[in-house]
Amino acid sequence: MGIRAQQKEKTRRALVDAAFNQLSAERSFSSLSLREVAREANIAPTSFYRHFKDMNELGLTMVDEGGLTLRQMMRKGRQRAEAGGSLIRISVETFMEVLDSNPNVFRILLHERSGTSAPFRGAVAREIEHFISELVHYTETTTNRSHDLARAQAEALVTLVFNAGAAALDMKRADRKALAERLVIQLRMIAKGAEVIQEKQDNR
Amino acid sequence: MGIRAQQKEKTRRALVDAAFNQLSAERSFSSLSLREVAREANIAPTSFYRHFKDMNELGLTMVDEGGLTLRQMMRKGRQRAEAGGSLIRISVETFMEVLDSNPNVFRILLHERSGTSAPFRGAVAREIEHFISELVHYTETTTNRSHDLARAQAEALVTLVFNAGAAALDMKRADRKALAERLVIQLRMIAKGAEVIQEKQDNR
DNA sequence: TAGATTAGCTTACAGATGTACGCTCAAATA
DNA sequence: TATTTGAGCGTACATCTGTAAGCTAATCTA
């Protein structure tokens, strides 16, 4: 890569990082201005346009990066789970760890999931869908769940996990621990309940 | 009430209504400006201050109204359920109906629940807490659930319902129907699962 | 009825925002 | 080496924002 392209990439990264760094419980992506981001990245406001068409494009880039983090998390969780132990517990622990080390990546996903920009919502929904369909596949191959039931189950699981994630984001470590415990119980409820419902359907 | 107070109340309502009317899938409360709201309410921007200290105060007022709507909904659901039928199904149906007739009331609740203003998040959390603790009470008196389990169960139920509500807000009628069906199944999973877990704990 | 109160208005201002335009100068290319 | 390209900059502008100050006229109070 030429010197020029290298420098450009560096500035682009600076912009993305600047935006991520400005996210917090009190600051959502949609509340950031182009000028603020440029300021934080130490470039002139107008130079922003050399890298992104507008703030929206920056945001979608960030959502994509968030998706990547999510998928890496899934892989990590799967690996750990293969080593044995409670799948649910291990998944929750992994999720909470990743959440802890990438809070702002989650912030943009969790916030824009219910945000006001349709493209954003779509992008986040797509990332979460990966999660769900992996889970559906896993459930179908390891249990006798019907497809529809597996889907309902997976959606419920993912909903609870992400919701807990949103709540955990701004909690102290101790509260987070309690939250994770309750989440494990709730996930077990769903798993058990789905099992019972499946059995009932089979015996009819 | 004097003429003066009457007129004042009317203008105040106009402001609140103006704000509600400007909410949509593309427009969150936090993206509204004081001037926009005043314009929609047909008053001068500076007259806004005769009624609210700032936009935040208006927003909290709206959340409170939303909470009221929610509680009315609960009451309505309970009445219907007493007439017999599946409690879960009736609750979901009631919820969806209220959602349909007050979309913007829900928008502000669902959006600010994960918004960037702590006071807002707190206010919404308090409203949802009403929901949960009513459900905990109900569960404890009609089943043999332990308190902790009843709480975990109620939280999971409420989480799924609100999440489905957020998804339903911008769906067509047909999709909404399918969503409601799946939600019913998911809620049953939790109810069944909680029951099984309770039994397991009792036999130990 | 005389005086006090106040909802709503107009005017005004400082600050922030997105972005158009044109320049510079280092890097890429021929 | 001579020419082209393009990342980053500074200046500029129209637009929007929240809100301060002070006026008016209708209502309330004594």
Side-chain angles (χ1 to χ4, degrees), chain A residues 2-4 33-36 39 45-46 49-50 54:
Chain A
I3 291 181
R4 198 164 193 151
S33 75
L34 182 152
R35 289 176 104 106
E36 276 178 308
R39 214 176 296 138
T46 48
Y49 297 104
R50 302 285 182 198
D54 52 23

Side-chain angles (χ1 to χ4, degrees), chain B residues 106-123:
Chain B
F106 277 85
R107 261 184 243 281
I108 191 165
L109 286 174
L110 292 169
H111 192 90
E112 299 309 326
R113 174 178 60 138
S114 62
T116 50
S117 154
F120 272 51
R121 284 199 305 271

Side-chain angles (χ1 to χ4, degrees), chain A residues 77 79-91 93 138 188:
Chain A
Q79 282 168 7
R80 282 208 217 172
E82 276 164 12
S86 155
L87 177 64
I88 285 182
R89 168 153 258 120
I90 288 173
S91 302
E93 278 169 12
Y138 174 84
R188 291 212 170 116

Side-chain angles (χ1 to χ4, degrees), chain A residues 103-119:
Chain A
N104 286 350
V105 167
F106 276 84
R107 260 184 244 281
I108 190 165
L109 286 174
L110 292 169
H111 192 89
E112 299 308 326
R113 175 175 61 136
S114 62
T116 50
S117 154

Side-chain angles (χ1 to χ4, degrees), chain B residues 88 92 95-96 157 160-162 164-165 178-188:
Chain B
I88 285 182
V92 169
F95 184 82
M96 289 298 172
L157 290 170
L160 287 185
V161 169
F162 274 76
L179 180 84
E181 280 308 314
R182 211 165 37 222
L183 177 58
V184 167
I185 293 173
Q186 291 169 334
L187 299 182
R188 291 211 170 118

